Amino acid sequence: ITGKRNGLLGLKSYSLSDSLSLFCPAPCPSLPGAYDEYSSCSGSSRAAGMNGNGPGNLVDPLEDPVPGLGTYEDFNTIDWVREKSKDRDRHREITNKSRQSTVALLHSVSDAFSGWLLMLLVGLMSGALAGGIDIAAHWLTDMKDGVCLIGFWFNHEHCCWTSNETTFQERDRCPQWQSWAELITGTSEGAFAYIVNYVMYIFWALLFSFLAVILVRAFAPYACGSGIPEIKTILSGFIIRGYLGKWTLIIKTITLVLAVSSGLSLGKEGPLVHVACCCANILCHLFTKYRKNEAKRREVLSAAAAVGVSVAFGAPIGGVLFSLEEVSYYFPLKTLWRSFFAALVAAFTLRSINPFGNSRLVLFYVEFHAPWHLVELGPFILLGIFGGLWGALFIRANIAWCRRRKSTRLGHYPVIEVLVVAALTAVIAYPNSYTRMSGAELISELFNDCSLLDSSQLCGYKQVSCAEEPGELKPIDYPYWCECKQTLCLIRKPVCPIRNHSVYYPSRFPSGLFIPSMAVGAIAGRLLGVGMEQLAYYNHDWFIFKGWCSPGADCITPGLYAMVGAAACLGGVTRMTVSLVVHHVRADWRLEYIVPLMAATMTSKWVADAFGREGIYEAHIRLNGYPFLEPKEEFEHSSLAVDVMRPRRSDPALAVLTQEGMTVGEVEVRIQKSTHYSGFPVVVSQESQRLVGFVLRRDLLISIDNARKRQEGVVSASQVVFTEHAPAQAAEAPPPLRLRGIMDLSPFTVTDHTPMDITVDIFRKLGLRQCLVTHNGRLLGIITKKDILKHMAQIANRDPDSILFN
């Protein structure tokens, strides 16, 4: 590795140029669907280069601010090193001025406090929006079944709170709440009333899904899906204009309520991460140091991701771990503290709103009372195996469906697709009370520990014996049931249809996979738990049950199996481990259940990794062609930098600029007509090819255009110089244009024999967009992030042209 030394990997100062491939034509393939309006890629902006005095001293070529320098264009990667250098210079300047006056000292204090204030605002705004989404979704979901006569804005549960006519078994039956059949026909009994309720249920489901897809298509195409793959890409330094904008926030909040209420098999937990990041991005514009620095803004977005999970699951610590483990690319210690603070504020805000009316942050809060035993570790591991197999199957089916949607005419009719899926789901779901309820309510039922005060139908322990007449109930202390066991009752309901949500993620409107994946695992876990419960009850004299399971005792907790199964399936799909365990531990807050959760989660990850190391988010990043270098993926090939760099042997020579001797007209021709490159190495001369620096095409265009307007005498014949002192020229010659200030004097370089595994590691850890390849100081070529991604795709036998963006 060449360059000036400073201890870290033998590097001193280096800058990150544009990740856009410098040898790729400016127009690039666009993603289908929501991305069609961005059908071309353009070079990112580079404010100014680093002068010879060290990194961060940005020198303006015209000694005046130039509009446009220092910003980035859409679908480009930020310059991490330059952004961090800018922030260090800003902080150093504020610190020096704080010693000179009281006003400057107060400004320094406010600057230091602004980060915590921003976290407070993000937590408050995200918590308030999450509470509103929960309340509105619950209300619209109940509206499909009926309406409250004392106030249409009340959901079913709130409507019956004040009624004195409810019973323990039918706590939701009250005269204040009437079904649509009662309102239309005056009765709730009979076949006609059933058909009326059936039709109204389908009508509301179609209306909600239609409004959701139309709003997304008309106002905010980026509001579709969960948003987590794009959030991961943005946190890695990529820029997607409008993805975290105000219109995306507004439409995603509204359509998330509609999508969840439509009854489709999707969740709101993933999209809440996108909502929280939108809040953070909007609030960043209130603070200068976050508005003008893309790297600082991404620190806030990392904290916002933690806030989103905190309000989704009521787990502030789990949210911080989720951001650290799953989505963040750069996560310093300061961001860890602020993430926890923001997640805590959001959780308190949601708790104050109390959207579920149970003084809990989530709907499926449970309390298990019976301990687990070592014998049960085997079934827990089986659930982990099932979760890993399910996760691998789901990812492959989902990616295959999404690829088919992109490559066929199916993707051209999103509204029809959504309406058809919504209609089929409503028709299938309505006859069964369990498939009709929301995913969170179903999980709450499956997690139930079936205490004596529970009226859940899953806790039908007072069943008739085979020799008794149907309808005869046994006493409450009757030891469970006989041949008509709960397992058969569950299947007969049926509660066990695993709704295939691969169609809905990512869909044409907001959709998440947390709740559907957990529901699949909870169903499998509950069934296994009931089977174990029956095995222990009827065979308590077996050696595996002796000593801890006495006759008639509650030895097995099926709800615990449901919780472990939910964690296993979600882990198999997302490949989360630590944060996932914390999410589920908070459902009961008893640490004795952490071992089953850990065993199932790790088993699920190992089994799923055997079929492919990519989680669902990484798979969608690759499917969409985003320039994301996955930190978890190992580079095991023995290639060298010279094997990956461009130009290749059959390509034209590398286009460069010389530090002196070229005119403004020649530079303009080269950057506008001769090539479509987004940046140019600067060399001493065409003959020597000794590297001097690197300059971006966009900065050249802006600086030349600005000089023509503001400097007298700058014409096409003016010399362009990148040296510190202008060379001597004839008296009648026009004045030269000095552009040394926009040139990066210390571009990152590697030798042609640098192993690619080291080069890839450097790109990941330093956030590089490109590096130059030299041999004995002479420029040979360039390696961009896109070149690395294409090379890795070729090694993995994937299509290298699938990397659409740069």
Side-chain angles (χ1 to χ4, degrees):
I1 301 175
T2 64
K4 303 177 182 178
R5 305 277 173 176
N6 194 28
L8 176 62
L9 293 175
L11 312 176
K12 183 207 175 199
S13 57
Y14 36 78
S15 66
L16 312 179
S17 297
D18 191 4
S19 69
L20 181 65
S21 175
L22 302 179
F23 300 93
C24 166
C28 71
S30 65
L31 288 182
Y35 306 100
D36 286 344
E37 58 185 302
Y38 304 101
S39 59
S40 63
C41 299
S42 51
S44 75
S45 61
R46 178 69 183 258
M50 299 178 182
N51 66 4
N53 297 328
N57 298 324
L58 303 179
V59 181
D60 178 66
L62 306 177
E63 300 181 356
D64 282 317
V66 178
L69 292 179
T71 59
Y72 300 94
E73 292 184 354
D74 207 3
F75 299 122
N76 284 269
T77 306
I78 70 170
D79 189 332
W80 282 94
V81 173
R82 186 197 64 183
E83 295 297 316
K84 297 302 294 182
S85 298
K86 283 169 54 179
D87 184 65
R88 282 194 296 267
D89 289 343
R90 183 196 60 81
H91 186 265
R92 189 181 301 113
E93 182 181 0
I94 291 176
T95 303
N96 293 335
K97 289 183 178 180
S98 65
R99 304 188 183 98
Q100 301 174 4
S101 66
T102 305
V103 175
L105 178 61
L106 293 176
H107 179 257
S108 175
V109 173
S110 66
D111 180 78
F113 181 71
S114 62
W116 295 99
L117 177 60
L118 178 57
M119 293 297 102
L120 175 66
L121 296 177
V122 171
L124 291 173
M125 187 173 178
S126 302
L129 285 176
I133 289 172
D134 288 332
I135 293 172
H138 197 176
W139 171 58
L140 289 182
T141 299
D142 288 346
M143 184 178 287
K144 293 185 298 183
D145 297 323
V147 68
C148 184
L149 299 181
I150 61 176
F152 73 91
W153 54 88
F154 289 123
N155 60 38
H156 195 170
E157 184 180 6
H158 291 173
C159 185
C160 294
W161 268 359
T162 58
S163 176
N164 295 323
E165 302 181 37
T166 57
T167 64
F168 178 76
Q169 294 294 335
E170 297 180 343
R171 59 184 64 182
D172 290 335
R173 296 289 296 272
C174 65
Q176 290 83 0
W177 178 269
Q178 289 194 357
S179 65
W180 292 109
E182 290 178 286
L183 290 174
I184 296 173
T185 66
T187 179
S188 61
E189 304 295 334
F192 183 68
Y194 182 84
I195 293 174
V196 170
N197 286 331
Y198 205 154
V199 172
M200 291 301 297
Y201 181 89
I202 297 174
F203 167 76
W204 286 112
L206 290 175
L207 178 62
F208 293 156
S209 57
F210 175 76
L211 291 176
V213 69
I214 286 296
L215 288 174
V216 168
R217 283 180 57 82
F219 297 102
Y222 284 150
C224 63
S226 74
I228 294 181
E230 286 76 15
I231 296 296
K232 288 191 66 170
T233 308
I234 290 173
L235 290 178
S236 72
F238 197 58
I239 290 179
I240 308 178
R241 299 292 183 197
Y243 200 84
L244 302 177
K246 59 181 181 299
W247 273 110
T248 303
L249 173 63
I250 295 171
I251 298 302
K252 185 127 192 174
T253 302
I254 297 173
T255 55
L256 179 57
V257 174
L258 294 170
V260 172
S261 304
S262 67
L264 291 174
S265 182
L266 48 85
K268 62 181 182 298
E269 285 67 24
L272 282 176
V273 176
H274 190 185
V275 169
C277 288
C278 288
C279 295
N281 185 65
I282 293 170
L283 291 172
C284 278
H285 288 81
L286 302 177
F287 302 87
T288 305
K289 75 175 182 179
Y290 295 105
R291 182 177 67 250
K292 295 185 176 181
N293 194 294
E294 293 289 346
K296 296 291 291 181
R297 187 181 303 184
R298 274 151 181 77
E299 294 180 16
V300 178
L301 295 179
S302 294
V307 170
V309 175
S310 174
V311 296
F313 289 96
I317 299 177
V320 175
L321 292 175
F322 171 81
S323 179
L324 176 61
E325 178 184 5
E326 187 64 25
V327 298
S328 292
Y329 199 86
Y330 174 66
F331 202 86
L333 186 60
K334 177 174 59 177
T335 303
L336 177 69
W337 302 335
R338 291 180 176 176
S339 299
F340 181 73
F341 173 71
L344 192 63
V345 171
F348 274 124
T349 303
L350 186 63
R351 173 64 179 80
S352 302
I353 297 174
N354 193 18
F356 302 109
N358 59 1
S359 300
R360 304 294 183 186
L361 294 177
V362 289
L363 184 61
F364 40 91
Y365 179 86
V366 293
E367 291 183 5
F368 300 132
H369 304 287
W372 68 280
H373 300 85
L374 189 61
V375 175
E376 298 178 86
L377 199 58
F380 293 148
I381 293 177
L382 285 178
L383 287 175
I385 295 174
F386 170 79
L389 294 174
W390 162 259
L393 176 64
F394 170 79
I395 292 173
R396 293 195 178 187
N398 179 258
I399 295 300
W401 174 262
C402 292
R403 187 174 287 115
R404 179 177 178 82
R405 179 191 286 163
K406 287 175 178 288
S407 59
T408 63
R409 294 178 61 86
L410 180 64
H412 299 164
Y413 307 100
V415 177
I416 296 177
E417 176 191 353
V418 168
L419 292 179
V420 170
V421 173
L424 290 175
T425 303
V427 169
I428 296 172
Y430 183 80
N432 188 294
S433 60
Y434 291 103
T435 54
R436 191 164 65 241
M437 64 177 58
S438 67
E441 291 175 326
L442 176 61
I443 293 173
S444 180
E445 288 282 309
L446 294 168
F447 281 11
N448 206 313
D449 67 335
C450 292
S451 62
L452 293 179
L453 297 179
D454 215 305
S455 62
S456 172
Q457 295 183 25
L458 290 182
C459 301
Y461 293 160
K462 304 182 293 299
Q463 301 293 332
V464 299
S465 67
C466 297
E468 292 168 340
E469 293 297 327
E472 180 183 350
L473 297 179
K474 302 300 291 183
I476 286 183
D477 60 351
Y478 183 77
Y480 294 100
W481 58 97
C482 72
E483 312 303 333
C484 178
K485 296 187 283 286
Q486 186 183 10
T487 307
L488 298 179
C489 296
L490 287 179
I491 297 176
R492 193 175 64 236
K493 283 292 184 182
V495 71
C496 59
I498 299 176
R499 293 178 288 179
N500 187 354
H501 54 282
S502 64
V503 175
Y504 310 123
Y505 182 87
S507 68
R508 305 297 187 173
F509 45 68
S511 60
L513 55 79
F514 277 40
I515 289 298
S517 299
M518 290 174 62
V520 171
I523 292 172
R526 185 82 188 193
L527 290 175
L528 180 60
V530 171
M532 286 292 298
E533 186 180 43
Q534 294 301 292
L535 187 66
Y537 178 76
Y538 288 104
N539 303 278
H540 56 82
D541 55 343
W542 285 10
F543 74 96
I544 59 174
F545 299 120
K546 279 185 177 180
W548 62 274
C549 186
S550 56
D554 297 342
C555 305
I556 305 293
T557 306
L560 174 61
Y561 284 75
M563 186 171 72
V564 172
C569 278
L570 184 56
V573 172
T574 64
R575 310 300 164 84
M576 293 189 298
T577 53
V578 180
S579 58
L580 185 58
V581 171
V582 175
H583 290 163
H584 284 75
V585 166
R586 66 97 190 93
D588 182 73
W589 289 118
R590 295 185 65 178
L591 295 180
E592 64 180 287
Y593 301 120
I594 196 171
V595 173
L597 289 169
M598 292 174 64
T601 303
M602 288 305 303
T603 304
S604 172
K605 177 175 171 55
W606 288 334
V607 172
D609 282 348
F611 295 90
R613 300 185 64 86
E614 283 184 335
I616 185 65
Y617 304 131
E618 292 78 18
H620 274 279
I621 288 174
R622 179 165 56 84
L623 177 68
N624 291 332
Y626 295 135
F628 182 79
L629 273 175
E630 176 56 53
K632 305 172 188 175
E633 188 176 356
E634 297 292 335
F635 186 89
E636 299 176 350
H637 203 263
S638 59
S639 54
L640 302 176
V642 70
D643 302 323
V644 182
M645 75 172 191
R646 300 167 78 184
R648 307 289 171 81
R649 292 179 180 177
S650 59
D651 294 339
L654 184 65
V656 298
L657 302 177
T658 56
Q659 66 177 356
E660 58 184 41
M662 297 184 69
T663 64
V664 170
E666 291 172 341
V667 172
E668 288 179 325
V669 168
R670 175 153 296 185
I671 64 179
Q672 290 182 326
K673 297 181 179 179
S674 299
T675 67
H676 296 284
Y677 305 158
S678 62
F680 299 90
V682 180
V683 296
V684 174
S685 65
Q686 293 284 358
E687 294 76 21
S688 70
Q689 290 290 308
R690 297 289 177 179
L691 182 63
V692 176
F694 189 86
V695 63
L696 291 179
R697 173 180 179 272
R698 183 170 183 269
D699 285 355
L700 280 171
L701 289 172
I702 291 176
S703 300
I704 292 174
D705 182 67
N706 185 75
R708 287 183 180 275
K709 294 177 180 177
R710 298 173 57 183
Q711 281 189 270
E712 249 181 80
V714 175
V715 294
S716 297
S718 300
Q719 271 203 11
V720 175
V721 295
F722 293 96
T723 56
E724 190 171 356
H725 303 287
Q729 55 183 357
E732 65 276 6
L737 175 59
R738 297 178 56 189
L739 296 179
R740 184 180 177 85
I742 65 170
M743 181 176 62
D744 180 3
L745 293 175
S746 53
F748 190 87
T749 60
V750 296
T751 66
D752 51 343
H753 293 291
T754 303
M756 275 306 298
D757 56 344
I758 295 179
T759 305
V760 171
D761 204 34
I762 293 171
F763 266 82
R764 284 173 177 160
K765 294 183 177 179
L766 300 180
L768 294 182
R769 296 181 295 177
Q770 104 284 313
C771 69
L772 302 174
V773 181
T774 62
H775 177 75
N776 294 334
R778 296 184 74 253
L779 179 65
L780 292 183
I782 190 168
I783 299 176
T784 67
K785 183 188 285 188
K786 184 173 182 179
D787 295 330
I788 291 180
L789 290 170
K790 283 192 170 187
H791 183 65
M792 295 174 71
Q794 286 178 330
I795 293 175
N797 294 321
R798 299 196 303 263
D799 181 14
D801 293 329
S802 62
I803 312 300
L804 301 181
F805 291 115
N806 298 280

